[in-house]
Amino acid sequence: MARVNRDPSTEKTVRQEEVATALVTPAASADNMDVVWPVGSFLDGRYRVLEVRGGAGKSGMGVVYIVADGERKYAVKTFQQRFAQELTFIQRFIREAQMWMLVGFHPNIVRAYALDIIEATPYLFMEYVEGDAQGRYSVADYLAQGPLSLAQGLDFALQFCAGMIHATSAAQGLVHRDIKPENLLVSSEGVLKITDFGLVGCKACQCEMLSHFEELGEVGRTEKSLTQVGTVFGTPAYMAPEQFEEARSVTLAADVYAFGCCMYEWFCGMPPFQVRARSTQERIEKLRRQHRQTPPRPLTERMADCPAALSDVIARCLEKKPQDRWPDFETLQAALLGVVDACGVNVKPLLKIPDPSPREVAEQMRSLTLLEGYAQAIRLRNLREHQNQSPYAFHLALASYFHCEQDTPEEARQLAKALRVRDTEMGYEAVRRWADLLLLEEKYAQAGEVLETFLTRCPDCEERVLEPYVRWLAHQKRYDDALGCLATLPISIRTQFLQTEVFQKKKDYTALIASHKAIVAQLLDHLAELIAGLTEEDSVGFAYPDDAGVLTAVLASLRPEINTEILKKVTSCIWPDLRGYPDFAPDMAWLSESLGALASSLKSGKSSMPCPEYEQAAQLLGYPHRFHEQNDRDEYWFWMQEEASC
């Protein structure tokens, strides 16, 4: 579908306002950086907030909202706004979301449904795990009531292995690195679900997801559950010896060890190692030594009637050397099944892996695309000085990114989000662009509603949304209103070309042809002036390397009296490396469109004087592609520069 015609003579300024400086309001003040969506409010105008977990003074950097969309609930993970300027943290959050999407769907893994960007902040929509009637949401809650029974513990262990087998198969080289009872949720039906992939490492995606997690001293956290202190990543009570030394290089063997610690605790009620300490650092050092040097007491000494086979399975998980542990979770699961058979324990059959629906797959693919655009915009915002950091400008920048990616649906979503976070009166760029897209998709009623809302709030501002407004009036057959609106503005290429669109809709070929001829004559006069003012020392701008020759050929056909010899002597600067002045690219783009439209109009109007030279010149200029590429070039330049900066 062709892009909406715009005026390069004015569009360049607009695009530079909208995109090249789009990431020019002050940043949020420190006073409102920790504001959360309150209970009862609607996240993104759609999801009703039922509960807020975490936040400033309650957790490290994250916050989780429990929201409802009709009857369906989600757990929505994001980060506190006071950390929104920390590029490293945001990149890690993005990687965590990517990992969760990569893992896919499994009944023993908390499902990540989708990611969305709301007011310039990413929100990961996850499966909400409803606790049981006793208020137990995780294995840690079960352990608060005492050790698990043999049957319950083996059932949970087999479910955990099933989830990890799937995760490590879906993401080659995956290591969770923070396996602990708090990260093993349990549904009301008794289904164990692995969660919190914040510390995951994965060779497949070549990323390290060492997020800044729980911070020392935060309210509501115990030393036992700290995920990161100093250079330690993980939870010390469950960390393998090698994880204390270099968390980034640990393998799946570290997860096997951590799971051994979990099983040890849920069968006897306490982890393998317990220490007394006066400070967190002292406690970590003592745990480090014990994990590295001290053999744990055999489970048979702490658990009444402990099957020897179970004790042996867990003991192998807790070997000090990684190579001495179970090599993977498939092997460990087989060993646990052997314990089940030997003890005659009844456990529930493992759940089948459901096939995701086409809608779920499409939503995850859209989320991954959105993450890529968000990552680009975040790097741009942080790498360039004086960028607008308002949510409005951020969503506008994301819309530009998806425009360049030719992802029209996502571009439209971001424009709608931009308007949602800024009053329509202040968001005319989003209104103009969104209305353009709606007209392209022939959603005329919706386009009219967007435009009328803006003009009701901002009377006499038709010029700010001129292109879509005139096109919408013409579609409504309000030709006199459209032409009257244009007549109130100074004559320019922009207004003249919009006039031709109205005449085209009216099928007034006499006026249409006359207007196109006037535009072509005006553009040729301007090009003649530019050329006449050149000297051999000048540098001039073109869109393509052969444009000097193209322009020479076109003028030889249409204005042979113009001497173009100087074009062979000046220095040509080609987009995107445009250092030259004047820039011939906009005039050549408009001339291409005008000549092509004029040739077409002469045919449609059954003119008795066809002019083949118009059609030939338009083809030389690359009609119809040159004009649309010219309109987009500032946006493409913006993202190309951003990528180069990164």
Side-chain angles (χ1 to χ4, degrees), residues 554-582:
V554 169
L555 292 178
S557 171
L558 301 179
R559 287 284 184 90
E561 70 275 12
I562 298 176
N563 185 352
T564 58
E565 285 299 312
I566 190 66
L567 293 178
K568 300 177 182 178
K569 301 175 183 179
V570 295
T571 301
S572 295
C573 300
I574 310 302
W575 183 89
D577 185 26
L578 289 180
R579 300 185 306 274
Y581 183 83

mmCIF file of all heavy atoms in Angstrom, residues 554-582:
data_model
loop_
_atom_site.group_PDB
_atom_site.id
_atom_site.type_symbol
_atom_site.label_atom_id
_atom_site.label_comp_id
_atom_site.label_asym_id
_atom_site.label_seq_id
_atom_site.Cartn_x
_atom_site.Cartn_y
_atom_site.Cartn_z
ATOM 1 N N VAL A 554 16.855 14.827 -17.126
ATOM 2 C CA VAL A 554 15.480 15.320 -16.991
ATOM 3 C C VAL A 554 15.382 16.757 -17.486
ATOM 4 O O VAL A 554 14.455 17.120 -18.236
ATOM 5 C CB VAL A 554 15.018 15.206 -15.527
ATOM 6 C CG1 VAL A 554 13.711 15.966 -15.312
ATOM 7 C CG2 VAL A 554 14.846 13.743 -15.135
ATOM 8 N N LEU A 555 16.340 17.587 -17.080
ATOM 9 C CA LEU A 555 16.298 18.996 -17.493
ATOM 10 C C LEU A 555 16.560 19.138 -18.987
ATOM 11 O O LEU A 555 16.016 20.044 -19.638
ATOM 12 C CB LEU A 555 17.308 19.799 -16.684
ATOM 13 C CG LEU A 555 16.988 19.939 -15.193
ATOM 14 C CD1 LEU A 555 18.079 20.715 -14.468
ATOM 15 C CD2 LEU A 555 15.638 20.629 -14.989
ATOM 16 N N ALA A 556 17.383 18.268 -19.540
ATOM 17 C CA ALA A 556 17.626 18.316 -20.988
ATOM 18 C C ALA A 556 16.336 18.041 -21.750
ATOM 19 O O ALA A 556 16.118 18.567 -22.857
ATOM 20 C CB ALA A 556 18.693 17.287 -21.364
ATOM 21 N N SER A 557 15.449 17.221 -21.162
ATOM 22 C CA SER A 557 14.182 16.901 -21.811
ATOM 23 C C SER A 557 13.150 17.996 -21.619
ATOM 24 O O SER A 557 12.424 18.349 -22.560
ATOM 25 C CB SER A 557 13.642 15.583 -21.251
ATOM 26 O OG SER A 557 12.332 15.342 -21.691
ATOM 27 N N LEU A 558 13.082 18.562 -20.393
ATOM 28 C CA LEU A 558 12.005 19.488 -20.079
ATOM 29 C C LEU A 558 12.418 20.953 -20.161
ATOM 30 O O LEU A 558 11.587 21.806 -20.474
ATOM 31 C CB LEU A 558 11.481 19.189 -18.664
ATOM 32 C CG LEU A 558 10.943 17.781 -18.422
ATOM 33 C CD1 LEU A 558 10.489 17.630 -16.970
ATOM 34 C CD2 LEU A 558 9.779 17.476 -19.361
ATOM 35 N N ARG A 559 13.683 21.267 -19.866
ATOM 36 C CA ARG A 559 14.189 22.643 -19.910
ATOM 37 C C ARG A 559 15.588 22.650 -20.530
ATOM 38 O O ARG A 559 16.591 22.855 -19.849
ATOM 39 C CB ARG A 559 14.254 23.227 -18.493
ATOM 40 C CG ARG A 559 12.914 23.573 -17.864
ATOM 41 C CD ARG A 559 12.345 24.870 -18.446
ATOM 42 N NE ARG A 559 11.119 25.245 -17.781
ATOM 43 C CZ ARG A 559 11.057 26.020 -16.697
ATOM 44 N NH1 ARG A 559 12.165 26.483 -16.151
ATOM 45 N NH2 ARG A 559 9.897 26.314 -16.172
ATOM 46 N N PRO A 560 15.667 22.390 -21.810
ATOM 47 C CA PRO A 560 16.992 22.268 -22.452
ATOM 48 C C PRO A 560 17.818 23.551 -22.377
ATOM 49 O O PRO A 560 19.040 23.500 -22.567
ATOM 50 C CB PRO A 560 16.647 21.902 -23.901
ATOM 51 C CG PRO A 560 15.229 22.326 -24.093
ATOM 52 C CD PRO A 560 14.573 22.173 -22.763
ATOM 53 N N GLU A 561 17.182 24.684 -22.115
ATOM 54 C CA GLU A 561 17.933 25.936 -22.048
ATOM 55 C C GLU A 561 18.776 26.058 -20.779
ATOM 56 O O GLU A 561 19.661 26.927 -20.678
ATOM 57 C CB GLU A 561 16.969 27.135 -22.146
ATOM 58 C CG GLU A 561 16.069 27.362 -20.937
ATOM 59 C CD GLU A 561 14.800 26.530 -20.968
ATOM 60 O OE1 GLU A 561 14.724 25.600 -21.814
ATOM 61 O OE2 GLU A 561 13.901 26.816 -20.154
ATOM 62 N N ILE A 562 18.527 25.189 -19.785
ATOM 63 C CA ILE A 562 19.278 25.252 -18.526
ATOM 64 C C ILE A 562 20.635 24.584 -18.715
ATOM 65 O O ILE A 562 20.726 23.438 -19.159
ATOM 66 C CB ILE A 562 18.505 24.552 -17.387
ATOM 67 C CG1 ILE A 562 17.162 25.252 -17.140
ATOM 68 C CG2 ILE A 562 19.334 24.529 -16.107
ATOM 69 C CD1 ILE A 562 16.306 24.558 -16.096
ATOM 70 N N ASN A 563 21.704 25.302 -18.406
ATOM 71 C CA ASN A 563 23.063 24.772 -18.509
ATOM 72 C C ASN A 563 23.387 23.972 -17.237
ATOM 73 O O ASN A 563 23.478 24.538 -16.142
ATOM 74 C CB ASN A 563 24.063 25.922 -18.679
ATOM 75 C CG ASN A 563 25.478 25.416 -18.911
ATOM 76 O OD1 ASN A 563 25.746 24.223 -18.806
ATOM 77 N ND2 ASN A 563 26.389 26.337 -19.229
ATOM 78 N N THR A 564 23.556 22.665 -17.391
ATOM 79 C CA THR A 564 23.793 21.793 -16.229
ATOM 80 C C THR A 564 25.247 21.333 -16.126
ATOM 81 O O THR A 564 25.556 20.419 -15.347
ATOM 82 C CB THR A 564 22.880 20.556 -16.310
ATOM 83 O OG1 THR A 564 23.134 19.858 -17.536
ATOM 84 C CG2 THR A 564 21.411 20.951 -16.241
ATOM 85 N N GLU A 565 26.170 21.953 -16.895
ATOM 86 C CA GLU A 565 27.574 21.530 -16.876
ATOM 87 C C GLU A 565 28.178 21.620 -15.474
ATOM 88 O O GLU A 565 29.044 20.823 -15.109
ATOM 89 C CB GLU A 565 28.394 22.382 -17.855
ATOM 90 C CG GLU A 565 28.170 22.035 -19.319
ATOM 91 C CD GLU A 565 28.575 20.597 -19.622
ATOM 92 O OE1 GLU A 565 29.690 20.194 -19.212
ATOM 93 O OE2 GLU A 565 27.771 19.888 -20.245
ATOM 94 N N ILE A 566 27.709 22.560 -14.674
ATOM 95 C CA ILE A 566 28.271 22.750 -13.335
ATOM 96 C C ILE A 566 28.057 21.523 -12.455
ATOM 97 O O ILE A 566 28.831 21.268 -11.531
ATOM 98 C CB ILE A 566 27.652 24.016 -12.675
ATOM 99 C CG1 ILE A 566 28.403 24.375 -11.388
ATOM 100 C CG2 ILE A 566 26.176 23.800 -12.392
ATOM 101 C CD1 ILE A 566 29.816 24.801 -11.604
ATOM 102 N N LEU A 567 27.011 20.735 -12.752
ATOM 103 C CA LEU A 567 26.727 19.553 -11.937
ATOM 104 C C LEU A 567 27.827 18.501 -12.055
ATOM 105 O O LEU A 567 27.963 17.636 -11.184
ATOM 106 C CB LEU A 567 25.381 18.939 -12.336
ATOM 107 C CG LEU A 567 24.136 19.787 -12.038
ATOM 108 C CD1 LEU A 567 22.883 19.076 -12.534
ATOM 109 C CD2 LEU A 567 24.030 20.081 -10.549
ATOM 110 N N LYS A 568 28.615 18.577 -13.135
ATOM 111 C CA LYS A 568 29.720 17.632 -13.299
ATOM 112 C C LYS A 568 30.939 18.032 -12.476
ATOM 113 O O LYS A 568 31.844 17.218 -12.277
ATOM 114 C CB LYS A 568 30.125 17.545 -14.777
ATOM 115 C CG LYS A 568 29.014 17.071 -15.710
ATOM 116 C CD LYS A 568 29.482 17.086 -17.157
ATOM 117 C CE LYS A 568 28.371 16.658 -18.105
ATOM 118 N NZ LYS A 568 28.801 16.717 -19.532
ATOM 119 N N LYS A 569 30.960 19.264 -11.999
ATOM 120 C CA LYS A 569 32.163 19.796 -11.339
ATOM 121 C C LYS A 569 32.014 19.949 -9.830
ATOM 122 O O LYS A 569 33.008 19.994 -9.113
ATOM 123 C CB LYS A 569 32.520 21.147 -11.963
ATOM 124 C CG LYS A 569 32.775 21.056 -13.470
ATOM 125 C CD LYS A 569 33.001 22.427 -14.084
ATOM 126 C CE LYS A 569 33.185 22.326 -15.593
ATOM 127 N NZ LYS A 569 33.375 23.667 -16.219
ATOM 128 N N VAL A 570 30.784 20.058 -9.358
ATOM 129 C CA VAL A 570 30.587 20.229 -7.917
ATOM 130 C C VAL A 570 30.801 18.899 -7.207
ATOM 131 O O VAL A 570 30.805 17.827 -7.826
ATOM 132 C CB VAL A 570 29.172 20.764 -7.614
ATOM 133 C CG1 VAL A 570 28.986 22.151 -8.184
ATOM 134 C CG2 VAL A 570 28.107 19.802 -8.124
ATOM 135 N N THR A 571 30.985 18.959 -5.907
ATOM 136 C CA THR A 571 31.117 17.750 -5.088
ATOM 137 C C THR A 571 29.728 17.278 -4.679
ATOM 138 O O THR A 571 28.941 18.046 -4.119
ATOM 139 C CB THR A 571 31.948 18.034 -3.830
ATOM 140 O OG1 THR A 571 33.245 18.494 -4.230
ATOM 141 C CG2 THR A 571 32.086 16.782 -2.973
ATOM 142 N N SER A 572 29.432 16.017 -4.970
ATOM 143 C CA SER A 572 28.114 15.466 -4.633
ATOM 144 C C SER A 572 28.177 14.733 -3.295
ATOM 145 O O SER A 572 29.049 13.883 -3.091
ATOM 146 C CB SER A 572 27.641 14.500 -5.721
ATOM 147 O OG SER A 572 27.439 15.184 -6.936
ATOM 148 N N CYS A 573 27.270 15.063 -2.398
ATOM 149 C CA CYS A 573 27.137 14.368 -1.114
ATOM 150 C C CYS A 573 25.843 13.564 -1.159
ATOM 151 O O CYS A 573 24.783 14.102 -1.474
ATOM 152 C CB CYS A 573 27.093 15.362 0.040
ATOM 153 S SG CYS A 573 28.562 16.393 0.158
ATOM 154 N N ILE A 574 25.945 12.283 -0.861
ATOM 155 C CA ILE A 574 24.813 11.373 -1.021
ATOM 156 C C ILE A 574 24.225 11.024 0.339
ATOM 157 O O ILE A 574 24.951 10.774 1.304
ATOM 158 C CB ILE A 574 25.254 10.080 -1.753
ATOM 159 C CG1 ILE A 574 26.031 10.446 -3.031
ATOM 160 C CG2 ILE A 574 24.051 9.214 -2.079
ATOM 161 C CD1 ILE A 574 25.267 11.307 -4.004
ATOM 162 N N TRP A 575 22.891 11.004 0.412
ATOM 163 C CA TRP A 575 22.198 10.598 1.633
ATOM 164 C C TRP A 575 22.661 9.198 2.032
ATOM 165 O O TRP A 575 22.830 8.343 1.161
ATOM 166 C CB TRP A 575 20.687 10.596 1.377
ATOM 167 C CG TRP A 575 19.887 10.264 2.592
ATOM 168 C CD1 TRP A 575 19.430 11.134 3.524
ATOM 169 C CD2 TRP A 575 19.459 8.967 3.007
ATOM 170 N NE1 TRP A 575 18.748 10.466 4.503
ATOM 171 C CE2 TRP A 575 18.749 9.127 4.216
ATOM 172 C CE3 TRP A 575 19.609 7.674 2.507
ATOM 173 C CZ2 TRP A 575 18.189 8.060 4.917
ATOM 174 C CZ3 TRP A 575 19.068 6.597 3.196
ATOM 175 C CH2 TRP A 575 18.361 6.798 4.385
ATOM 176 N N PRO A 576 22.903 8.909 3.346
ATOM 177 C CA PRO A 576 22.605 9.775 4.496
ATOM 178 C C PRO A 576 23.726 10.718 4.873
ATOM 179 O O PRO A 576 23.609 11.452 5.860
ATOM 180 C CB PRO A 576 22.366 8.757 5.612
ATOM 181 C CG PRO A 576 23.262 7.628 5.273
ATOM 182 C CD PRO A 576 23.267 7.543 3.773
ATOM 183 N N ASP A 577 24.825 10.712 4.121
ATOM 184 C CA ASP A 577 25.956 11.579 4.453
ATOM 185 C C ASP A 577 25.803 12.907 3.729
ATOM 186 O O ASP A 577 26.572 13.245 2.835
ATOM 187 C CB ASP A 577 27.261 10.881 4.059
ATOM 188 C CG ASP A 577 28.483 11.668 4.482
ATOM 189 O OD1 ASP A 577 28.372 12.432 5.454
ATOM 190 O OD2 ASP A 577 29.535 11.517 3.828
ATOM 191 N N LEU A 578 24.781 13.666 4.111
ATOM 192 C CA LEU A 578 24.479 14.921 3.413
ATOM 193 C C LEU A 578 25.162 16.093 4.113
ATOM 194 O O LEU A 578 24.705 16.576 5.142
ATOM 195 C CB LEU A 578 22.963 15.143 3.367
ATOM 196 C CG LEU A 578 22.185 14.217 2.428
ATOM 197 C CD1 LEU A 578 20.707 14.540 2.486
ATOM 198 C CD2 LEU A 578 22.695 14.342 1.003
ATOM 199 N N ARG A 579 26.268 16.533 3.530
ATOM 200 C CA ARG A 579 26.947 17.718 4.060
ATOM 201 C C ARG A 579 26.831 18.891 3.090
ATOM 202 O O ARG A 579 27.359 19.952 3.344
ATOM 203 C CB ARG A 579 28.426 17.416 4.286
ATOM 204 C CG ARG A 579 28.686 16.288 5.263
ATOM 205 C CD ARG A 579 30.176 16.135 5.536
ATOM 206 N NE ARG A 579 30.931 15.970 4.306
ATOM 207 C CZ ARG A 579 31.130 14.796 3.705
ATOM 208 N NH1 ARG A 579 30.597 13.699 4.210
ATOM 209 N NH2 ARG A 579 31.840 14.721 2.596
ATOM 210 N N GLY A 580 26.185 18.634 1.976
ATOM 211 C CA GLY A 580 26.167 19.648 0.936
ATOM 212 C C GLY A 580 24.987 20.590 1.002
ATOM 213 O O GLY A 580 23.949 20.299 1.573
ATOM 214 N N TYR A 581 25.150 21.750 0.411
ATOM 215 C CA TYR A 581 24.064 22.707 0.227
ATOM 216 C C TYR A 581 24.244 23.349 -1.142
ATOM 217 O O TYR A 581 25.360 23.734 -1.504
ATOM 218 C CB TYR A 581 24.088 23.789 1.304
ATOM 219 C CG TYR A 581 22.908 24.723 1.152
ATOM 220 C CD1 TYR A 581 21.677 24.397 1.683
ATOM 221 C CD2 TYR A 581 23.032 25.914 0.433
ATOM 222 C CE1 TYR A 581 20.595 25.230 1.515
ATOM 223 C CE2 TYR A 581 21.954 26.762 0.264
ATOM 224 C CZ TYR A 581 20.729 26.421 0.811
ATOM 225 O OH TYR A 581 19.653 27.245 0.639
ATOM 226 N N PRO A 582 23.196 23.434 -1.948
ATOM 227 C CA PRO A 582 21.822 23.053 -1.635
ATOM 228 C C PRO A 582 21.601 21.540 -1.745
ATOM 229 O O PRO A 582 22.403 20.832 -2.341
ATOM 230 C CB PRO A 582 21.007 23.795 -2.690
ATOM 231 C CG PRO A 582 21.932 23.865 -3.864
ATOM 232 C CD PRO A 582 23.309 24.050 -3.285
#
